[in-house]
Amino acid sequence: SDFSLVTSSNPAHPGEVVLIYGTGLGAVLPAVASGNAAPADTLATATGSVSVLINGIDAGTPLFAGLAPGFVGLYQLNVRIPAAISSSGDLSVVVTASGVQSKTVTIPVAVP
């Protein structure tokens, strides 16, 4: 929530919003021409469905899914770590965009 890097010494916590960056979420509105940076004044939001599983638990619809402002071709997901997370450690994260599932990555999470 303070935009600090999530690491094993600074893990995310249930209820906290984290930013996940990636590629390949598809079309956005408003459209951004290929090779141009995403605007900061009008967010370019992904038009397809996007969902996130953290440790197999649905994180719900991302608070934001679209192009990261100021970057070319980089997508940003703002995701709340589910309150139902009950275990600490490096937890799996899988993003599904328009029915296509990402490879699994991990995020360090600490449960109080």
Side-chain angles (χ1 to χ4, degrees):
S1 58
D2 63 2
F3 298 101
S4 61
L5 187 63
V6 174
T7 65
S8 56
S9 60
N10 185 39
H13 298 90
E16 186 174 44
V17 174
V18 295
L19 307 183
I20 300 171
Y21 294 94
T23 59
L25 295 184
V28 295
L29 281 178
V32 176
S34 182
N36 287 350
D41 57 347
T42 303
L43 295 177
T45 304
T47 59
S49 63
V50 179
S51 62
V52 179
L53 293 177
I54 299 178
N55 219 36
I57 298 172
D58 185 3
T61 302
L63 301 170
F64 171 73
L67 289 172
F71 290 90
V72 176
L74 182 67
Y75 290 83
Q76 174 181 322
L77 300 170
N78 299 2
V79 178
R80 187 173 307 281
I81 303 292
I85 296 289
S86 60
S87 59
S88 295
D90 289 337
L91 306 185
S92 65
V93 177
V94 176
V95 175
T96 301
S98 297
V100 178
Q101 198 172 69
S102 72
K103 292 185 178 186
T104 301
V105 297
T106 60
I107 184 172
V109 175
V111 176

